[in-house]
Amino acid sequence: MKDITDIFIDVLQQAGSVDMAEAEFKKMIGVDEDLHKAYREWCHEVGNNERNGFVDFCEEYLSDREEVWDNLSDFDE
């Protein structure tokens, strides 16, 4: 199985929005017990709960990407 965060990123990129990605991810963990177990373990490791873990990751991921682009555009000025 891929690293759980790689799966998060794949789902987010395919869905196009955090809300749609969250819905898709919830469906995925509903039918794949191994994925659900990996998600549960990841949440425990990072100190998050299952309810918010995926969304928190996505929001942080998108924020970090936005920050990179902001830093790159600073060099253009």
Side-chain angles (χ1 to χ4, degrees), residues 37-61:
K37 181 180 177 188
Y39 176 60
R40 191 177 300 124
E41 290 171 0
W42 176 85
C43 287
H44 180 71
E45 287 173 11
V46 299
N48 212 327
N49 62 46
E50 286 187 54
R51 171 175 263 171
N52 300 322
F54 179 78
V55 171
D56 289 348
F57 174 87
C58 290
E59 289 174 349
E60 184 175 331
Y61 174 79

Side-chain angles (χ1 to χ4, degrees), residues 6-37:
D6 291 336
I7 294 171
F8 294 167
I9 294 167
D10 288 347
V11 172
L12 179 60
Q13 290 175 341
Q14 290 174 11
S17 75
V18 174
D19 291 342
M20 291 179 69
E22 179 184 24
E24 180 60 29
F25 186 72
K26 284 182 178 181
K27 279 192 242 178
M28 291 170 65
I29 63 174
V31 297
D32 186 337
E33 185 56 39
D34 290 335
L35 179 60
H36 194 178
K37 181 180 177 188

